[in-house]
Amino acid sequence: MPANKSGPVPRKKKGRRGRLVAITVVLLLVAGIGFGAFWGVSTVRASFPQSTGSLKLPGLTNPVDVVRDGNGIPQIYADTDEDLFRAQGYVQAQDRFWEMDVRRHMTSGRLSEMFGKSEVKADSFLRTLGWHDVAQKEYDTKLSPSTKKYLQSYSAGVNAYLKDHEGSAVSLEYAALDFQNDYKPQKWTPVDSVAWLKAMAWDLRGNMQEEIDRSLMTSRFTPEQISQLYPAYPYKRNKPIVEGGAVDPATKKFSPKASANATPATPAGATAGLQSQLSSLSKTLDKVPALLGPNGNGIGSNSWVVSGAHTTTGKPLLANDPHLAPQMPSLWYQMGLHCRNTGPKCNYDVSGFTFSGMPGVVIGHNQDISWGMTNLGADVTDLYLEKVNADGYLFDNKQQPFITRKETIKVADGESREITVRSTRNGPIVSDRDGELANVGKDAPVGNAAPDRGDGYAVSLRWTALDPGKSMDAVFALDRAKDWNGFRKAAADFEVPSQNLIYADTKGNIGYQAPGRIPVRGKGDGHFDGTLPAPGWDPRYQWSRYIPQKALPYEYNPQRGYIVTANQAVTDEKYPYLLTKDWGYGSRSQRINDLIESKIKDGGKVSTDDMQAFQKDNSSEIARLLTPYLTKIDIKDKYVRDAQQLLEGWDFTQEPDSAAAAYFNAVWRNTLKLAFGNKMPKELRPEGQCLTVRPADGTGPADENDKYIRECGERAGDTAQPDGGDRWYEVVRGILDDPNNPWWKTEDRPGRPGDKNRDQLLAHAMADARYELTSKLGKNIDNWSWGRLHQMFLKNQTLGTDGPGMLQGLFNRGPWNVGGGEAAVDATGWNAASGYKVTWVPSMRMVVNLADLDKSRWINLTGASGHAYDAHYYDQTDKWAKGDLLPWAYSHDAVKKAGKDTLTLSP
C-alpha cells in the first residue's frame, strides 16, 4: 500500500477494504514484484480468525462465547476460571500468535532458531541473562497453585489453536519464513508466559543506560561537567507523586500524612567512572530486541486519577497512556474476561489491556476498581567491576569460584554455537559476550584499595528480575481485587518491573502505591548510589536488603483530590530510602497537575471529555522557556529572519500543521547539537555523524598537525545523546541566564569562527535550522508543518525491520503526520540527536468512568489483529492519531449491543 504522506490513512468500509487489500496484494505479487509463485489470496487470508459460528476447544467444561465488536475486540464469557483462560489463549493465538512466538524466542534467547545467524549475538546476551531459566524457577517455586492452573489452561488454549493450524494458516509471516527455513512452532508452555514479565522488566529496568552513559562521558568531560548534564530533580517546580509523608524509624512503615522528618540518603559516586571501553556493552545492549522501546529518557507513561469531588460524574475518573515504541501490531491487546456468574468457580469480570502470550488483564478495570501503571524508574540494576582470572573472581580478599553453565544456541541457517556463562555473587558476567569487553575497566579509576587491574576488570550485572518472584500472581490478584486493601495486597507481589500503580473504585476512593523489589545498597566508601559501576570485590558495595514493602510510598484519598504519575520523582527529598537518582524530570507530570488545577479551581469540575483532552495536550515546556530568548536575537539574514518570525505570537502548541512548531523543534535540535552533542564522545553520538574533533584518550591517532581527528558516532539513533528530553530542559534552564557559560562556546573551525556566547550560538542554531528545514520541507516556510517533519511509522518488529524490502512493505504501515512531542503530555517522542522521526508514542489511551463503567473509553495504537491485511490490522490508528477514543462496553448488555460477531467455543 502507498505510504500516507500528508496525514492519517483514510478509513474505508471494513469488509470491502479487507477484500480489496488482499486482492491488491496478490495482484502485486503475481505481477512479479516478488514471491508470486508462492502466495495467493488464500495464503494472505488463511490466518484470519474465525469469529462466528462454533468451534471445538478440547478441555472446556462448558461452552464459551467470544463476542467481538466492530473493531474486532473480543469479550469472553465462561463459567469457570479455567475455561476463561483457556479461551483467552485460543483467541489471542487466533489474532497474535506470530507476535507471541517471536516474543517467547526472544525471552528464551532462541531468535537464531527463527531468523538465523544474525541473531546469535543477541541470543548469547539473552542466554547470559537467563530470563527463561528464572521464569522456570518462578513457576516451579514461587507461583500459587491457582496461578499455575490459569497458566496451564491458557497454554492449552494456545496449543489447541496450533494443533489445527500451521504455516500461513497461523500467520502470513510464517509463509515468508518458509522461504528461508523449515521452522515450525513448538507447543506453548506456562513458562513462555511468565518469561514475558522478564522482557517487560528489562525494558523498564531503570537507570542502567544512564549508568553506562555517565561512564562513557568521562573520556571527554570532567566530573563537574557530567554533573551539570545530570542536574538535580527540580522539586520546587515539579511536584513529586506523593507530597509529604514519612517512614517511621521504628516500624519502617510509610505514612502519607505524617510529617516527613527522616534523614535523606546523600550518597555520591563510588567510582570516578569507566572509560570508553564500556561502549562495547552499550552496543551489545542496542542489539538486544527492545519489545517496549529503546531504554532511556523517553520510556515512560502518563496516568492520573481525579476524585469524584472534582468530577462532573461525582465519582473518580482515571486515565492512563503508557509510552512505548510504535510498532505493528501494538504491544497491547484489548479484551474482556467475564464470568457469567462470579463465584468460587469463576472469579473474574475484568476488561482492559492485555499482553498477547500472557493470561489476565494488565491494565484496566473490573466491576469494583480500576488501575493504571507508569514506570516508576526505580534503580534496580547495578554494574559491578569484577577482578577475575581463569579460575574465579575476587571478593573480600578471597578467590571465589565462578558459577558456570553451558548454553547451546541452535541456528536456522548454520551450525549450533555453544557458550559458557560465568556468574559471580553479583550476577552474570555480561562482558563475556563481546570480545572487546575483555578490556572493560582497564582504565577505571577505583581508588587505592582496588586490586591490580592486570588485563582489566570484567563487568557483571546485578538485577532484581534475575531473582524469582511472584509478579504473575499479582496480575491475577489485581484482576479480582475488590477494594483498596485487595489492591495493595496484589501490588505487594508486583515485584518486577517496579511500576507506579494508581487506583480508583466505584465507592469513590482514589489511591497510589509504589510496589516493587527495590534494593538497599551498602554504603561503600560513603558514596554508593548506583549511578556508576561499583567495585564487585568490596563487600561494602553489596546490596544489603530490599526496601520493606510497608515502607514503600503510597497515598489514599489525598486532600488535593487527585494523583498524577508521569515518571516524576515519587517522593520529596526527605524519603529515607534511595529509589533512584535518575527520575524523569517532571515536565509532563507538572503540566498534567497544572491542567487539572486550572479546571478545578473556583469549584470547577473535570469531565470525561476533559480527561481525553488532557491526553492530547501538546504544549512544549522548552518552547515556552526558550522562545523569548530566540525572538529577541537580532538576525541580520532575512532568509533566517523570516523563519524566526514564525515564533512571534506562537502559543507553544505542537499541532501537526504548525510551521512554528516545526521551526522551533529544529532550532532546539540544533541548539543541543552545537552546545552539547558535538562535544560528546563518539560512543554517545548517533551512528554516521562524523566530526573533526580533538582526540580524547583512546579515540584514535591524531592527524599530521597532531590536533584533530575524524571521528564518527557509534550509538543507535534512538538512544543517542543529547536526546532532547526534559533532562535537557533542566540542563539548558540552568545556563540560560548565564550568556557566557562555557557550554555556549564552540571551537573555531576552518573558515568559521566558533560561537563565543549564548546569543551567538542561538543565532547559529536558528540559521542551521532554517537551512535544515529548507532541505527537508522546502524553501517556502508557508509549506512547513510539524507533522511532515514528525512522522510515525508502524513497523512489524521482525520482517518489517530486517526482512527484504518487499516484505517490509507488506507488513509495515505509515507514515502518519502527528503532533505532540518529546516530554509533552501527548508524548510522541523523538530523539534530537538523530532526527525528528517518532520513537515513542502513547501506545494506548484509556479513560475509566467509575460512575458508569460503560461510559469509559479506550483506544489502541493499531488494532486487535496481528494479521497483515485483516480489517482490524490498524483500524484504530486513524482515530488514535486524532486523539479520538472508542466507546468501551463492559456490562453484558453493553457488550451485546456493541457486538458484531459471536463465536461459540464448545467442549
Side-chain angles (χ1 to χ4, degrees), residues 6 63 119 188 366 368 439 442 524 592 602 706 732 747 843:
S6 59
E119 301 298 331
W188 193 265
N366 60 29
D368 298 305
N439 292 325
K442 184 175 181 181
I592 297 167
D602 301 324
D706 199 35
V732 171
E747 287 194 12
S843 56

Side-chain angles (χ1 to χ4, degrees), residues 250-273:
T251 66
K252 297 293 188 293
K253 183 177 181 180
F254 182 85
S255 172
K257 294 183 179 180
S259 59
N261 54 12
T263 302
T266 57
T271 70

Side-chain angles (χ1 to χ4, degrees), residues 50 52 125 156 269 663 775 816:
Q50 180 177 336
T52 61
F125 189 80
Y663 182 60
S775 68
W816 279 262

